[in-house]
Amino acid sequence: SVFGLPFLHGSLPHSPLHVRALADIEEHNDAGNVAERVVYVRETRLTTLISHILIGASVLLIPYPINLIPIPVFYGIFVYLAITSLGDFQLWERLVLIFTEQNLYPPIHYVRKVPQNIIHYFTALQILQLAVLCVISFAGPAYLKMCFPFVILFLMPIREKVLPLLINDRHLHWLDGEH
């Protein structure tokens, strides 16, 4: 790079899991909320270099050696990655709350600020929107799949205009963001 900036390339940025693995995190209970504080972060460029070398070396696996790996193995890896990432997914947390007794709810910020029926109503609305996206993306006809970007675009006005009519703004504030 001429100006000392990093080169531009199509590689993904560091994953949050990678950055979190390099950090020492301290958990403390603050007024019933479990808060995390980063104490120390190890900075290393070696893992990034090794991962990029391995990504480049994966080109050598095409086409012959990669054909030896059965397709269900790849499906298993993707299912494992999906299941392990569910813990940080707020929709999943709220979906689990539907099947949990109210006195056993974890100390999450929105549980203390938003009534239980509003939490479940908001979760049901999000599951409905997700179901619409799944129906459109997994539909057979190609013309229906072409509508997927428009449906994603249509979700923004739903969130900004329709949801405030159904749920109080104060409750949406606590349900929507990371606080």
Side-chain angles (χ1 to χ4, degrees):
S1 173
V2 177
F3 299 107
L5 299 172
F7 287 102
L8 296 176
H9 53 83
S11 173
L12 295 175
H14 292 296
S15 72
L17 292 175
H18 178 76
V19 174
R20 188 173 180 87
L22 294 174
D24 291 337
I25 297 175
E26 186 178 88
E27 290 185 0
H28 61 281
N29 197 343
D30 183 28
N33 292 328
V34 177
E36 295 180 343
R37 196 183 77 142
V38 176
V39 178
Y40 177 74
V41 177
R42 290 169 203 79
E43 184 178 350
T44 178
R45 295 187 177 124
L46 187 61
T47 55
T48 307
L49 177 67
I50 291 171
S51 66
H52 281 88
I53 288 172
L54 289 174
I55 289 170
S58 69
V59 172
L60 301 174
L61 297 175
I62 298 174
Y64 177 69
I66 207 153
N67 288 337
L68 297 176
I69 302 172
I71 297 296
V73 171
F74 290 120
Y75 289 159
I77 290 171
F78 294 139
V79 167
Y80 171 76
L81 289 173
I83 290 173
T84 56
S85 68
L86 282 178
D88 296 331
F89 194 39
Q90 193 186 72
L91 177 62
W92 178 258
E93 287 177 354
R94 286 187 273 110
L95 192 61
V96 169
L97 290 180
I98 292 174
F99 303 105
T100 307
E101 291 184 32
Q102 190 171 6
N103 58 352
L104 297 176
Y105 280 5
I108 305 172
H109 63 277
Y110 56 83
V111 169
R112 291 196 164 84
K113 307 285 184 181
V114 182
Q116 179 185 17
N117 60 344
I118 301 293
I119 293 173
H120 297 331
Y121 183 59
F122 183 72
T123 304
L125 289 174
Q126 280 193 324
I127 290 173
L128 177 69
Q129 292 172 2
L130 181 64
V132 168
L133 286 175
C134 288
V135 164
I136 289 175
S137 64
F138 297 133
Y143 65 88
L144 195 57
K145 289 180 182 180
M146 291 185 333
C147 297
F148 184 78
F150 299 110
V151 174
I152 291 287
L153 188 65
F154 187 64
L155 289 177
M156 289 187 285
I158 287 176
R159 167 56 189 94
E160 294 298 320
K161 302 295 182 193
V162 176
L163 276 181
L165 298 174
L166 301 173
I167 299 174
N168 188 343
D169 284 335
R170 184 171 40 99
H171 294 153
L172 277 178
H173 171 74
W174 286 107
L175 286 169
D176 251 352
E178 295 288 325
H179 297 285

